[in-house]
């Protein structure tokens, strides 16, 4: 989805050039997915540059020497929703006179009404975007002084009020930033789209504003200034001190400080938090792709996930942040909601709870709201979202809350919208994930819901806790010994790829197929192994490799082996992911081994092999692995 960056250099020192900060920030936001980019620089006049395509197209169109002076600007990477990716549709958008430039992430749902209204007033639109109504609304407010409804709050010279007035007219979701001709200030606000402030001043205190218009002033000890972005990596190189904005809060940044106020203009005190990442966490560390780096980070991110939460000696699981939740009785069933990869973690979590005798369901978040799934008063609804910003999941959580449910966000992102919207948050502690394809966050979601299911049911055997503890080392073993690259090379070029599993391995099959299609662009499907014979078997030929996950040697393994025989009889190449306990290897053309463990942990290990298969097939095919076509990391529209 779109990415926003804003920057105001500190008044107290030789701050970096805005153009450099904006371009670096946009490059850090590339992972969100985009198809055009642009910047607006404010230095008395407004200087707007934008280009369709990769950031490179924008950079090479700029004569940066002529842009060296301005210390204030906004930038944007656009992921098309209204109108194709063209120079005209790229942000920033301006009014006809070029007095204000605006960038936006989200969807303005009433844009057609506003567009018709503005067009009737004589406004000519340059783009097909929903966003362009915003600069025109701001311009109209500036022109009309106290406003066409006679509201005296507004003054023609007051950019801040004109900005607020325009925002008042919007319905939908937005993070919006604006700069004006004749003023070196950035104005911004958000509703259902992420926006975070980065503070690099010399104040250093826990709370940096008293709400006046010029606070948190610098004292000149080397601060760079104030940042605004859709996500922290955009400015982490400069500062790890952040302020998370809530819906309908307004922020104003200038060289002397920052202020946040509510929708009525009342100044707010906002805590400054420190994020525990540094710039290196968001680099590639020598790997060709973020995805491969993140796959290899799993042993360490899983250790972080478990740290302080499991006690092997006592065989207990403790989730301190959920103390107030775990001893409560909830109306049945526990409902998980999520999208994409996180939905697969939700299915896995629901299965774990069911195995402990607690009724649980997993529903795709957009279907949850569309179907108006009845939520019992007093039930527990768990939203799983690595970004914490997925619009569908946020809506499901909010609707559940309105219906009287207690909500829990299982997320990777401290301070995210989901973490703040839900009654409780469980952090998966995976660290920043830049590759669009979710990898380490899925593994950490699997472990987190394992911990959650034990904590909610107050039951975890010694063996279970031990096997959870062993997962990080066993993932390392898979990474050290995997032959996925060689198998991938053999399978490239096949017509389609199927993934099958039963029980806890069914969500892993779904996830294996999603990862595969997402980055290889090849047709891949995941099935419950027992479902093949009810239809999909018609597609199976010698040109459709089937990946089957078989762990343990119980009934589930035996039945999956029967399903493997069904595809083998149709000459499909069979790749088994197995711990070797069931002797399934003899039915396989290729084997991806995982260490022996219990069935819950095996589902985490098996997935790592499938991540590697997807990666190496995509690599072999020369795909854009970290930024697959048409996809965005953080999906902030419904
Ligand atoms: O941030 P979330 O976990 O809520 O994201 C949900 C999906 O958009 C996400 O998992 C998506 O399916 C991944 N890109 C898949 O790799």
């Amino acid at each position: 989805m779109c990415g926003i960056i804003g920057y105001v250099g500190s008044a107290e020192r030789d701050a970096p050039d805005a153009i450099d900060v904006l371009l670096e920030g946009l490059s850090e936001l590339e992972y969100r997915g985009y198809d055009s980019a642009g910047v607006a620089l404010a230095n008395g006049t407004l200087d707007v540059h934008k280009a369709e395509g990769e950031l490179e197209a924008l950079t090479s169109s700029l004569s940066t020497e002529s842009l060296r002076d301005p210390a204030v600007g906004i930038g944007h990477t656009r992921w098309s929703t209204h109108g194709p990716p063209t120079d005209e549709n790229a942000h920033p958008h301006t009014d006809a006179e070029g007095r204000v430039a605006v960038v936006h992430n989200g969807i303005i749902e009433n844009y057609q009404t506003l567009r018709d209204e503005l067009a009737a007033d004589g406004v000519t639109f340059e783009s097909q975007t929903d966003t362009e109504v915003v600069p025109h609304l701001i311009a109209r407010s500036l022109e009309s002084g106290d406003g066409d409804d006679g509201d005296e709050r507004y003054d023609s010279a007051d950019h801040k009020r004109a900005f607020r007035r325009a925002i008042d007219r919007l319905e939908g979701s937005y993070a919006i930033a604006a700069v004006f001709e004749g003023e070196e200030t950035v104005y911004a606000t958000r509703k259902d789209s992420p926006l975070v402030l980065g503070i690099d001043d010399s104040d250093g205190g826990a709370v940096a504003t008293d709400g006046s218009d010029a606070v948190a002033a610098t004292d000149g000890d080397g601060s760079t200034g104030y940042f605004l972005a859709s996500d922290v990596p955009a400015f982490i190189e400069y500062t790890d001190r952040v302020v998370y904005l809530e819906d309908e809060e307004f922020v104003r940044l200038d060289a002397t400080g920052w202020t946040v106020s509510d929708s009525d203009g009342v100044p707010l005190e906002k805590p400054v938090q420190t994020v525990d990442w540094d710039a290196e966490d968001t680099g590639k560390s020598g790997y060709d792709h973020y995805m491969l780096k993140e796959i290899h980070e799993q042993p360490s991110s899983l250790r972080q996930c478990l740290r302080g939460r499991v006690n092997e000696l006592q065989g207990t699981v403790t989730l301190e942040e959920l103390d107030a939740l775990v001893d409560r009785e909830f109306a049945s069933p526990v409902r998980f909601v999520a999208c994409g990869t996180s939905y697969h973690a939700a299915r896995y979590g629901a299965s774990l709870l069911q195995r402990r005798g607690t009724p649980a369901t997993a529903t795709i978040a957009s279907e949850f709201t569309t179907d108006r799934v009845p939520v019992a008063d007093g039930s527990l609804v768990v939203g799983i979202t690595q970004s914490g910003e997925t619009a569908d999941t946020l809506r499901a959580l909010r609707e559940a809350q309105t219906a009287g449910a207690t909500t829990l966000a299982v997320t990777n992102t401290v301070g995210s919208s989901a973490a703040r919207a839900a009654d409780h948050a469980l952090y998966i502690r995976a660290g920043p994930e830049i590759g669009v394809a979710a990898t380490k966050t899925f593994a950490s979601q699997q472990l987190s819901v394992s911990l959650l299911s034990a904590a909610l049911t107050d039951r975890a055997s010694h063996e279970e806790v031990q096997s959870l503890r062993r997962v990080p080392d066993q993932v390392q073993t898979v990474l050290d010994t995997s032959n996925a690259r060689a198998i991938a090379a053999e399978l490239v070029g096949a017509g389609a790829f199927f993934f099958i599993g039963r029980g806890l391995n069914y969500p892993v099959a779904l996830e294996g197929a999603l990862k595969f299609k997402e980055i290889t662009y090849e047709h891949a499907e995941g099935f419950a192994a027992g479902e093949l014979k009810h239809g999909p078997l018609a597609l199976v030929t010698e040109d459709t490799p089937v990946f089957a996950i078989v762990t343990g040697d119980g009934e589930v393994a035996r039945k999956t082996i029967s399903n493997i025989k069904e595809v083998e009889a149709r000459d499909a190449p069979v790749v088994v992911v197995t711990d070797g306990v069931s002797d399934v290897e003899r039915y396989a053309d290729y084997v991806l081994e995982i260490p022996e463990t219990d069935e819950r942990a095996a589902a985490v290990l098996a997935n790592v092999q499938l991540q590697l298969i997807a990666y190496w097939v995509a690599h072999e095919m020369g795909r854009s692995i970290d930024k697959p076509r048409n996809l965005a990391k953080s999906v902030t529209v419904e």
Side-chain angles (χ1 to χ4, degrees):
M1 296 284 113
C2 307
I4 286 178
I5 172 93
Y7 173 63
V8 178
S10 156
E12 299 297 319
R13 63 157 257 179
D14 194 15
D17 287 328
I19 186 65
D20 294 333
V21 175
L22 298 179
L23 291 175
E24 284 159 15
L26 291 179
S27 111
E28 295 298 336
L29 294 173
E30 281 188 294
Y31 74 90
R32 295 170 68 83
Y34 73 107
D35 41 43
S36 55
V39 291
L41 294 145
N43 184 19
T45 59
L46 279 186
D47 209 353
V48 176
H49 303 265
K50 46 197 200 172
E52 177 200 340
E54 302 256 315
L55 207 46
E56 177 63 26
L58 172 68
T59 313
S60 56
S61 74
L62 297 173
S63 157
T64 44
E65 280 322 302
S66 66
L67 302 172
R68 283 295 152 202
D69 280 348
V72 175
I74 54 177
H76 188 264
T77 46
R78 173 174 186 252
W79 187 81
S80 302
T81 56
H82 296 65
T86 58
D87 289 357
E88 293 71 32
N89 288 334
H91 301 208
H93 292 286
T94 63
D95 64 308
E97 308 289 325
R99 284 165 295 184
V100 58
V102 169
V103 293
H104 163 226
N105 169 25
I107 289 185
I108 297 169
E109 285 164 7
N110 61 335
Y111 88 99
Q112 194 59 54
T113 310
L114 296 171
R115 202 172 160 110
D116 293 345
E117 180 186 309
L118 287 159
D121 271 1
V123 171
T124 305
F125 286 86
E126 302 292 331
S127 78
Q128 295 148 286
T129 64
D130 53 341
T131 305
E132 200 189 336
V133 297
V134 182
H136 292 300
L137 285 172
I138 294 173
R140 193 169 68 174
S141 286
L142 287 172
E143 279 156 19
S144 63
D146 61 359
D148 57 7
D149 62 357
D151 184 338
E152 289 176 6
R153 283 183 303 160
Y154 299 103
D155 173 321
S156 63
D158 190 331
H159 295 156
K160 183 165 88 175
R161 288 184 182 180
F163 179 71
R164 282 176 174 272
R165 182 172 174 71
I167 301 300
D168 278 352
R169 298 292 317 277
L170 307 182
E171 290 166 18
S173 62
Y174 48 78
I176 289 178
V179 285
F180 288 84
E181 182 187 46
E183 190 186 6
E184 295 184 11
T185 300
V186 174
Y187 295 91
T189 187
R190 62 157 279 177
K191 181 165 169 279
D192 295 337
S193 281
L195 203 57
V196 57
L197 212 56
I199 313 289
D200 181 28
D201 61 15
S202 50
D203 184 64
V207 175
T209 178
D210 65 7
S212 70
D213 265 6
V215 291
T218 58
D219 66 6
D221 73 342
S223 54
T224 51
Y226 306 96
F227 306 79
L228 189 71
S230 305
D231 202 356
V232 175
F235 54 70
I236 191 75
E237 182 185 337
Y238 296 101
T239 184
D240 58 2
R241 297 174 60 229
V242 302
V243 175
Y244 292 104
L245 295 177
E246 302 288 343
D247 279 354
E248 297 180 61
E249 290 181 347
F250 286 75
V251 61
R252 180 180 186 275
L253 309 177
D254 68 19
T256 61
W258 56 278
T259 55
V260 177
S261 46
D262 70 11
S263 54
D264 295 322
V266 177
L268 299 171
E269 289 213 342
K270 298 285 291 180
V272 179
Q273 301 177 29
T274 302
V275 293
D276 61 353
W277 327 336
D278 56 33
E280 200 162 299
D281 286 335
T282 59
K284 280 195 220 153
S285 309
Y287 287 96
D288 283 351
H289 297 96
Y290 283 111
M291 182 180 176
L292 192 59
K293 175 194 171 216
E294 287 156 3
I295 288 172
H296 280 85
E297 281 173 346
Q298 290 178 117
S300 124
S301 51
L302 292 171
R303 274 184 205 106
Q304 285 299 326
C305 179
L306 294 175
R307 187 169 41 84
R309 290 170 164 174
V310 288
N311 184 321
E312 216 168 323
L313 284 178
Q314 294 169 4
T316 52
V317 168
T318 314
L319 297 173
E320 269 175 17
E321 57 269 68
L322 301 188
D323 269 357
L325 187 83
V326 292
D327 291 333
R328 284 173 52 188
E329 291 282 321
F330 291 103
S332 193
V334 173
R335 294 193 185 279
F336 288 87
V337 290
C339 307
T341 290
S342 297
Y343 167 67
H344 301 149
R347 285 200 74 109
Y348 175 77
S351 293
L352 291 176
L353 274 176
Q354 309 245 68
R355 273 148 212 265
R356 294 175 189 278
T358 300
T361 63
T363 312
I364 291 170
S366 54
E367 290 298 301
F368 186 84
T369 52
T370 306
D371 279 352
R372 302 186 188 285
V373 172
V375 176
D377 196 12
S379 58
L380 175 66
V381 174
V382 183
I384 305 185
T385 165
Q386 78 78 23
S387 63
E389 301 297 346
T390 299
D392 291 319
T393 310
L394 283 170
R395 175 175 283 248
L397 282 171
R398 287 182 177 131
E399 288 188 3
Q401 219 162 24
T402 307
T406 297
T407 54
L408 166 65
V410 178
T411 183
N412 195 31
T413 315
V414 176
S416 60
S417 299
R420 287 174 293 143
D423 300 309
H424 304 270
L426 175 62
Y427 292 108
I428 66 171
R429 303 178 181 165
E433 185 177 74
I434 306 295
V436 165
T439 53
K440 63 175 179 172
T441 54
F442 179 65
S444 296
Q445 286 170 339
Q446 285 179 300
L447 276 203
S448 299
V449 293
S450 290
L451 297 172
L452 179 66
S453 72
L456 284 179
T457 53
D458 201 18
R459 265 186 294 136
S461 66
H462 252 85
E463 294 68 36
E464 197 184 326
V465 172
Q466 271 170 357
S467 69
L468 278 174
R469 254 277 197 256
R470 282 199 301 265
V471 169
D473 288 344
Q474 291 175 326
V475 168
Q476 188 64 58
T477 305
V478 172
L479 293 171
D480 292 344
T481 58
S482 176
N483 52 343
R485 186 173 191 170
I487 295 176
E490 300 268 333
L491 298 178
V492 169
F497 300 80
F498 297 145
F499 295 75
I500 62 171
R502 280 176 182 255
L504 292 173
N505 288 330
Y506 172 38
V508 177
L510 294 177
E511 174 59 10
L514 177 66
K515 209 72 358 182
F516 197 93
K517 72 180 80 158
E518 196 176 13
I519 60 166
T520 67
Y521 311 159
E522 294 296 296
H523 179 209
E525 294 299 331
F527 301 108
E531 275 294 290
L532 273 189
K533 57 187 177 294
H534 297 291
L537 204 52
L539 296 172
V540 170
T541 69
E542 70 284 354
D543 197 27
T544 56
V546 177
F547 291 82
I549 309 150
V550 184
T551 55
D553 66 350
E555 194 188 4
V556 171
R558 284 198 297 280
K559 285 186 176 166
T560 313
I561 291 173
S562 301
N563 304 133
I564 290 175
K565 289 181 187 160
E566 292 160 12
V567 301
E568 205 183 23
R570 274 86 188 168
D571 295 328
V574 174
V575 187
V576 292
V577 186
T578 184
D579 50 15
V581 182
S582 63
D583 209 16
V584 65
E585 292 92 325
R586 56 200 174 112
Y587 306 107
D589 298 288
Y590 306 97
V591 178
L592 290 160
E593 279 180 40
I594 59 168
E596 194 181 333
T597 179
D598 77 7
E599 60 171 351
R600 301 174 182 84
V604 182
L605 306 182
N607 183 62
V608 176
Q609 289 284 23
L610 296 182
Q611 292 171 343
L612 290 167
I613 282 286
Y615 176 84
W616 288 116
V617 171
H619 190 275
E620 192 78 25
M621 299 180 80
R623 298 302 193 213
S624 168
I625 291 178
D626 284 332
K627 288 177 274 168
R629 70 181 177 206
N630 305 335
L631 300 181
K633 181 71 179 165
S634 183
V635 185
T636 52
V637 294
E638 284 180 47

